[in-house]
């Protein structure tokens, strides 16, 4: 196992490691050459090199939130960089990117399985390695014939999805108060990344992954013809990429707003990075239909459960599945059913944030097909209990017991 699988690693240790790796890469020659070779220019180039490597280091790790996304993005970036490298007679970089692309392509069939579950994962070790290698190779390469500003436009376009996601979540989290320090920014694991937002709109994780990979390829292809172009063309292509990303942001935010309006409320996103809101959802009768063949069989998913639980998950909720199906065997059966139907959840019959709580999981909101909301008046509650008793299908438990 990786080190952080055995014991959590502090953000300060992670960041120090990133700086050491970036420093070794810069010493080895992975260095930006944007500013002239004066003392001030050299210092600026060195600082830019550190920012680039550490930024891409983290950006690819942040993007590793859906099966196949980080590895697929690495393939797209590596292929595009390799194409430019071979075209510009840089075979060492070309073959290095080919090796990265080949390794990721061999990995993807086990990590990206639409309709099924991934069997292996990159983890922090894998995504950090890929981010470090791709960022370093970008600095080692020569990407334009004359103008250094044209040269930097090439990797910006190829890495545009990573840069965009990193920039968006950073500004969004600072503006919303979710992060208040640099180390909080490193540690924060939210549901506001590009892939979460696109998945909420498309209602499908696999489609979201393919959409983002196509975005990356579209921007990167524009970089292939930049080598012999002038600064004016580079600015036009960068401006075009910025406009397209702005349009995508407007559309996905509008789509999420429409879904939330349909639900009759504004999007809810936890402002506490250490304590997201918790939704405890009943299983039978709320997520799964009661099985006609009787307990302990599980019926079909209730319409809308997949879509709206995904939406809640994308808005930052922790989802706890609660059921009278207790015991390892029953909980394993529920987990398998949830996964096969791509219904998101965090835990079953337990909230690990409150290890001292036995029985009913601790939550902020409880969703149940047999629930009555208590609003401080027992007379009203009594009436609603009586009303609920006479609802059609309430005797399903008795029917199951008789079977």
């Amino acid at each position: 196992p990786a080190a952080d699988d055995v014991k959590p690693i502090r953000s300060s240790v992670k960041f120090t490691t990133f700086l050491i790796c970036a420093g070794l890469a810069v010493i080895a020659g992975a260095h930006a050459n944007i500013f002239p070779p004066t003392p001030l220019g050299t210092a600026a180039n060195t600082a830019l090199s550190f920012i680039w490597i550490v930024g891409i280091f983290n950006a690819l790790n942040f993007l590793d939130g859906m099966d196949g996304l980080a590895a697929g993005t690495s393939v797209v970036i590596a292929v595009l960089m390799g194409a430019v490298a071979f075209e510009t007679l840089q075979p060492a970089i070309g073959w290095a990117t080919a090796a990265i692309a080949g390794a990721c392509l061999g990995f993807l069939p086990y990590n990206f399985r639409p309709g099924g579950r991934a069997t292996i994962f990159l983890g922090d070790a894998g995504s950090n390695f890929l981010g470090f290698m791709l960022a370093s190779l970008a600095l080692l390469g020569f990407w334009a014939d004359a103008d250094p500003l044209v040269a930097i436009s090439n990797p910006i376009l190829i890495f545009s999805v990573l840069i965009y996601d990193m920039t968006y979540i950073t500004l969004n989290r600072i503006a919303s108060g979710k992060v208040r320090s640099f180390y909080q920014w490193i540690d924060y694991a939210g549901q506001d990344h590009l892939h979460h937002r696109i998945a909420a709109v498309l209602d499908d994780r696999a489609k979201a992954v393919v959409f983002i990979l196509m975005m990356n390829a579209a921007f990167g292809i524009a970089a292939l013809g930049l080598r012999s172009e002038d600064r004016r063309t580079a600015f036009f292509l960068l401006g075009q990429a910025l406009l397209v990303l702005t349009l995508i942001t407007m559309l996905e935010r509008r789509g999420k707003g429409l879904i939330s309006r349909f639900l009759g409320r504004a999007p809810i996103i936890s402002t506490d990075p250490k304590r997201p809101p918790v939704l405890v959802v009943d299983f039978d009768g709320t997520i799964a239909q009661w099985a006609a063949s009787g307990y302990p069989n599980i019926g079909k998913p209730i319409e809308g459960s997949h879509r709206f639980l995904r939406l809640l998950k994308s808005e930052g909720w922790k989802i706890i599945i609660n059921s009278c199906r207790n015991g390892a065997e029953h909980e394993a059966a529920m987990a398998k059913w949830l996964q096969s139907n791509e219904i998101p959840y965090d835990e079953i019959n337990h909230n690990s944030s409150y290890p001292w709580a036995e029985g009913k999981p601790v939550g902020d909101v409880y969703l149940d097909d047999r629930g009555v909301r208590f609003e401080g008046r027992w007379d009203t509650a009594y009436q609603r209990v009586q009303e609920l008793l006479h609802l059609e299908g309430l005797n399903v438990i008795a029917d199951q017991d008789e079977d």
Side-chain angles (χ1 to χ4, degrees):
D4 58 352
D5 292 330
V6 178
K7 183 179 180 181
I9 298 177
R10 290 180 301 174
S11 55
S12 58
V13 175
K14 290 182 182 180
F15 182 62
T16 301
T17 304
F18 295 157
L19 289 178
I20 292 172
C21 291
L24 293 173
V26 170
I27 292 172
H31 203 276
N33 293 294
I34 307 301
F35 302 101
T38 63
L40 184 59
T42 300
N45 283 329
T46 301
L48 186 61
S49 301
F50 273 85
I51 292 171
W52 172 263
I53 294 175
V54 174
I56 298 300
F57 225 131
N58 281 279
L60 192 60
N61 189 11
F62 287 170
L63 203 67
D64 188 22
M66 287 185 182
D67 294 347
L69 184 54
T73 301
S74 298
V75 170
V76 173
I77 291 174
V79 168
L80 291 168
M81 287 177 60
V84 177
F86 282 118
E87 183 186 7
T88 53
L89 304 178
Q90 302 178 87
I93 293 177
W95 288 117
T97 55
I100 292 173
C104 290
L105 286 171
F107 173 83
L108 272 173
Y110 304 95
N111 181 245
F112 184 56
R113 305 173 68 194
R117 294 192 67 197
T119 56
I120 55 176
F121 305 91
L122 282 175
D124 285 353
S127 58
N128 283 335
F129 170 77
L130 289 172
F132 172 73
M133 289 298 298
L134 292 170
S136 299
L137 289 170
L139 291 178
L140 283 168
F142 179 74
W143 307 110
D145 291 334
D147 195 328
L149 290 178
V150 176
I152 197 174
S153 299
N154 192 298
I156 286 177
L157 287 169
I158 292 175
F159 287 82
S160 57
V161 168
L162 295 179
I163 296 170
Y164 165 71
D165 185 53
M166 172 73 76
T167 304
Y168 180 95
I169 62 167
T170 299
L171 295 176
N172 182 60
R173 291 173 182 179
I174 291 173
S176 62
K178 295 174 188 170
V179 297
R180 301 183 183 278
S181 70
F182 181 75
Y183 292 131
Q184 278 187 356
W185 175 79
I186 293 178
D187 281 339
Y188 187 87
Q191 300 285 326
D192 54 350
H193 287 281
L194 174 64
H195 47 281
H196 296 125
R197 304 193 311 271
I198 296 298
V201 174
L202 298 180
D203 193 28
D204 190 288
R205 295 167 70 90
K207 289 180 181 178
V209 170
V210 173
F211 181 91
I212 293 170
L213 296 184
M214 291 173 66
M215 276 178 59
N216 204 134
F219 294 135
I221 289 172
L224 297 181
L226 263 183
R227 180 173 66 91
S228 58
E229 298 296 333
D230 57 14
R231 186 177 298 189
R232 181 169 173 267
T233 303
F235 284 154
F236 279 145
L237 288 175
L238 289 174
Q240 175 182 281
L242 182 61
L243 286 173
V244 172
L245 288 171
T246 302
L247 288 172
I248 290 172
T249 301
M250 293 170 64
L251 290 172
E252 56 90 1
R253 290 177 70 89
R254 174 63 173 166
K256 185 174 179 181
L258 287 173
I259 295 172
S260 296
R261 185 178 300 173
F262 177 76
L263 286 171
R265 56 175 173 75
I268 300 174
I269 300 178
S270 172
T271 57
D272 184 352
K274 295 183 179 179
R275 204 276 193 189
V278 178
L279 174 66
V280 179
V281 190
D282 177 52
F283 185 69
D284 292 293
T286 306
I287 296 177
Q289 298 176 5
W290 291 95
S293 55
Y295 182 87
N297 297 313
I298 303 175
K300 296 180 180 179
I302 291 178
E303 184 178 357
S305 59
H306 167 276
R307 179 183 181 187
F308 289 104
L309 284 174
R310 278 188 177 278
L311 177 61
L312 288 164
K313 187 65 180 171
S314 73
E315 292 176 350
W317 287 83
K318 179 177 182 179
I319 298 175
I320 308 292
I321 307 299
N322 188 37
S323 174
C324 59
R325 297 172 181 266
N326 292 312
E329 183 178 350
H330 291 306
E331 291 179 3
M334 283 193 292
K336 183 178 180 181
W337 185 91
L338 290 163
Q339 291 159 6
S340 66
N341 288 286
E342 296 187 337
I343 295 176
Y345 71 96
D346 293 284
E347 298 180 72
I348 296 177
N349 287 338
H350 181 65
N351 186 348
S352 59
S353 300
Y354 301 89
W356 46 266
E358 298 291 340
K360 183 178 180 179
V362 176
D364 296 296
V365 178
Y366 293 85
L367 180 61
D368 195 315
D369 61 319
R370 300 161 185 276
V372 172
R373 180 180 178 182
F374 181 70
E375 298 177 333
R377 291 178 58 93
W378 267 102
D379 55 344
T380 303
Y382 174 80
Q383 292 175 1
R384 291 181 178 173
V385 168
Q386 293 297 326
E387 293 169 0
L388 186 62
L389 180 64
H390 294 93
L391 285 178
E392 182 180 355
L394 189 65
N395 60 345
V396 68
I397 293 179
D399 294 342
Q400 297 289 335
D401 290 340
E402 291 173 5
D403 293 341

